[in-house]
Amino acid sequence: MTCFDSKILASLMTSILKEKDVDQESTHHVVASLIQTSLRGVDSHGTNLFPHYCRELDAGRINKHPQFKIKQSAPSTAVMDADHGFGYHAGAVAMDKAVEFAKNTGVGAISVKNSSHFGAAAYFGLRAAEKDCLGLAFTNADALVKAYGGKEAFFGTNPICFTAPMAGEGPFCLDMSTSVVSWNKVQNFRRDNQSMPLGWAFDESGGSTTDPKKAKTLNPVGEYKGFGLGAMIDILCALLADGPLSKDILPMYAEPLSTKRRINHFLMAIDISKFTEIRHFKQRLKEMARRIRSLAPLDPNSQVKMAGDPEKEIYKIRLAQGIPLSEAKLKEFLSLSSRFKEAIK
Amino acid sequence: MTCFDSKILASLMTSILKEKDVDQESTHHVVASLIQTSLRGVDSHGTNLFPHYCRELDAGRINKHPQFKIKQSAPSTAVMDADHGFGYHAGAVAMDKAVEFAKNTGVGAISVKNSSHFGAAAYFGLRAAEKDCLGLAFTNADALVKAYGGKEAFFGTNPICFTAPMAGEGPFCLDMSTSVVSWNKVQNFRRDNQSMPLGWAFDESGGSTTDPKKAKTLNPVGEYKGFGLGAMIDILCALLADGPLSKDILPMYAEPLSTKRRINHFLMAIDISKFTEIRHFKQRLKEMARRIRSLAPLDPNSQVKMAGDPEKEIYKIRLAQGIPLSEAKLKEFLSLSSRFKEAIK
């Protein structure tokens, strides 16, 4: 396993996007999110995606100079057309707008249409938490999660992200897909020729399978509950934005890479200070974390963790040791530019 | 199994609460929610709870004449003190306020403290959907769900309810606890001396058990994901309201019944018309439902269902056939008043 230094990798990705004529703000958010996400250990949504985004840029799927249209419809709400730019950029602008509204009215909610993959929802949630807001970020995605009681997929892995600022450390951050595992995890088992645990995925007929090569759809988390959460997120994202449902969205890796995906997001910020004193809130959340972390663990060599704790631990390690990448991924980076050799630690 | 006619049962419960000097509005919401919930087939949160509420009233836990204090903190937000009244009443007033704010600003969010059990969250979500809003309702509850990686419970079954109005039929309604099953389901298996499926509950040492008599805690839905959702809901409910965490809330059936439980809720409404045309939204949701319901089912004798579909089906049946209750529950009702004999169908 090779490791990339995160700072050098960020600077190289920035220069590559600049060479491809991607505007400065889009570049900033794509790079900042990919690096943050990899440092947090979420390799399915981190720098591994960069080579694919370059292919999408070259094919014309992603607008390098999007003109966002934001229409404020009421004091707390706006509808945004992302003009087929990077979802990273659109989501950040939308969350900043939600925070701006929340500071005035207590809550801000922005619906985004005509966007593209926005990476880890945590990037947007963490932005809201930095401004002393609760952050909520949702997106739909191409259909991969089997309809409960059916044979085929209807909703995407439609994630939920919720963040809250905490005293003395980074925010509480829950960022979860509404499937048991991500498609990427199934792909890793396929690559390594391993059989998967039962309950992750289904084959073409809708039956459970442990063979990653036969996997066609993912299991919703908690069966009908995850299927219901997937529906909630398509309602918040696709129906409010009047964009396509998961079922009608082109998969990320599907050809032609020139076709727009028209993904929809929903971003919300809640200003904590409109409910309770912000310092007190952060202290109480810290105290809740302390109590959870000091619960007797099932495994005596482990510790009970809060959502986001594993990511905080990996962050520190990777900041020092670098972002790991597979040999195959290294090849992809080097085929983009031999300059990526500089980033190898 | 005996059945109660829902209309007669409603009128008898109303007269009992009146005799106990419960104010008119509280009475209305308790009865309306219990009947609606039983008709929807959710027996864990329906009329079965009525005798217990009578005991709580007699013991002084629930304030029969609460003076709600609603403090609007910003155009979209308010903090409400429920004065230890019925959560049913407090939740309805809070959701109506959220809808009122949403009609002005696009979103309304109300934090409620010093409340009591509010029954099925769907009652409040459905109220928002009737007004062409998306409804979100959350509550915390006494700790019953095992901390992921730990031995003991930390969060309650902390439910999520999300509703959306649909053309030509009742709203989409997801109302789910963040545990795999409810505590009530475990209790039913205990009563019937049956062993439970693996994965529902844990024993005192935090190990999985199929013996309902040994069950001490519930499994969070999707393991660390459900544990994270439970945390999200305690943050929204307890931390925004500055009330007690799940871990510090007295169980519903724990003595003394005179002690206030200080439960916290969080209610939110989003005005759909601020994002897209309401008729179009409802039509698109109906079309989404149609597509889901016509997916090829796994079981050829079944149909793929949306969240809320099973409840819509049971509603029709029970409206005609009545609300079923066990012999033990019938005895509890008759011990409250022999007039409940009138309600037997």
Side-chain angles (χ1 to χ4, degrees), chain A residues 15 42 64 99 103 115 121 127 140 155 179 181 204 218 222 229 271 278 281 303 336:
Chain A
S15 65
V42 186
K64 298 169 181 180
V99 168
K103 294 291 171 185
S115 188
R127 260 178 114 73
N140 71 350
F155 297 118
S179 51
V181 295
E204 199 148 17
L218 297 169
L229 290 171
D271 183 16
I278 182 69
F281 174 95
Q303 195 196 24
L336 284 174

Side-chain angles (χ1 to χ4, degrees), chain B residues 223-267:
Chain B
E223 304 190 326
Y224 67 93
K225 295 188 178 188
F227 184 53
L229 289 171
M232 172 180 91
I233 291 162
D234 248 54
I235 292 170
L236 286 170
C237 294
L239 294 198
L240 284 188
D242 199 16
L245 296 177
S246 293
K247 189 70 175 169
D248 303 319
I249 286 178
L250 197 69
M252 186 159 161
Y253 295 96
E255 304 280 350
L257 290 184
S258 54
T259 306
K260 315 295 189 199
R261 293 183 69 210
R262 300 183 59 216
I263 288 176
N264 313 282
H265 320 306
F266 186 69
L267 290 302

Side-chain angles (χ1 to χ4, degrees), chain B residues 59-194:
Chain B
R61 170 174 287 171
I62 294 170
N63 185 347
K64 298 167 180 183
H65 299 277
Q67 301 293 314
F68 296 154
K69 284 177 211 77
I70 305 178
K71 199 184 134 208
Q72 182 169 3
S73 50
S76 294
T77 53
V79 178
M80 173 170 162
D81 186 324
D83 196 20
H84 310 289
F86 271 110
Y88 294 83
H89 183 187
V93 167
M95 185 55 101
D96 290 353
K97 187 56 79 178
V99 168
E100 182 194 318
F101 290 178
K103 294 292 172 184
N104 287 323
T105 68
V107 188
I110 319 290
S111 163
V112 182
K113 69 171 150 189
N114 290 327
S115 189
S116 62
H117 195 242
F118 81 2
Y123 180 69
F124 313 105
L126 291 169
R127 260 179 114 73
E130 267 171 31
K131 303 282 170 59
D132 288 346
C133 285
L134 302 179
L136 288 139
F138 306 92
T139 188
N140 70 350
D142 51 292
L144 265 176
V145 182
K146 193 173 78 65
Y148 178 72
K151 294 179 178 180
E152 62 186 285
F154 195 86
F155 297 118
T157 51
N158 294 7
I160 295 179
C161 174
F162 175 83
T163 54
M166 209 188 302
E169 64 177 283
F172 171 91
C173 179
L174 173 72
D175 183 7
M176 55 171 267
S177 71
T178 48
S179 50
V180 173
V181 294
S182 67
W183 187 244
N184 201 57
K185 218 162 184 172
V186 173
Q187 298 290 86
N188 291 348
F189 273 69
R190 185 179 299 193
R191 186 193 62 207
D192 301 342
N193 239 336
Q194 285 187 307

Side-chain angles (χ1 to χ4, degrees), chain A residues 73-79 104-107 109-111 134 136 146-152 154-155 160 162 164 172 174 176-181 205-207 221-222 224-225 227-229 231-232 234-236 238-240 242-245 247-248 266 268 270 272 274-276 280-281 284-285 288 291-292 295-299 304-307, chain B residues 73-79 104-107 109-111 134 136 146-152 154-155 160 162 164 172 174 176-181 205-207 221-222 224-225 227-229 231-232 234-236 238-240 242-245 247-248 266 268 270 272 274-276 280-281 284-285 288 291-292 295-299 304-307:
Chain A
S73 50
S76 293
T77 53
V79 178
N104 287 322
T105 69
V107 188
I110 319 290
S111 163
L134 302 178
L136 288 138
K146 193 173 78 64
Y148 178 71
K151 294 180 179 180
E152 62 186 284
F154 196 85
F155 297 118
I160 295 179
F162 174 82
F172 171 92
L174 173 72
M176 55 171 266
S177 70
T178 49
S179 51
V180 173
V181 295
S205 68
V221 66
Y224 68 92
K225 295 188 178 187
F227 184 53
L229 290 171
M232 172 180 92
D234 248 56
I235 292 170
L236 286 170
L239 294 197
L240 284 188
D242 199 17
L245 296 176
K247 189 70 175 170
D248 303 319
F266 186 68
M268 192 184 277
I270 298 173
I272 295 161
K274 302 295 193 291
F275 294 90
T276 187
H280 179 64
F281 174 95
R284 280 203 72 200
L285 182 50
M288 177 171 120
R291 288 173 68 184
I292 288 173
L295 289 172
L298 256 187
D299 170 358
V304 181
K305 287 173 185 167
M306 291 259 283
Chain B
S73 50
S76 294
T77 53
V79 178
N104 287 323
T105 68
V107 188
I110 319 290
S111 163
L134 302 179
L136 288 139
K146 193 173 78 65
Y148 178 72
K151 294 179 178 180
E152 62 186 285
F154 195 86
F155 297 118
I160 295 179
F162 175 83
F172 171 91
L174 173 72
M176 55 171 267
S177 71
T178 48
S179 50
V180 173
V181 294
S205 69
V221 67
Y224 67 93
K225 295 188 178 188
F227 184 53
L229 289 171
M232 172 180 91
D234 248 54
I235 292 170
L236 286 170
L239 294 198
L240 284 188
D242 199 16
L245 296 177
K247 189 70 175 169
D248 303 319
F266 186 69
M268 193 184 278
I270 299 172
I272 295 162
K274 302 296 192 291
F275 294 91
T276 186
H280 179 64
F281 175 94
R284 281 203 71 200
L285 181 51
M288 177 171 119
R291 288 173 69 184
I292 288 173
L295 289 171
L298 255 187
D299 169 358
V304 181
K305 287 173 185 167
M306 290 259 283

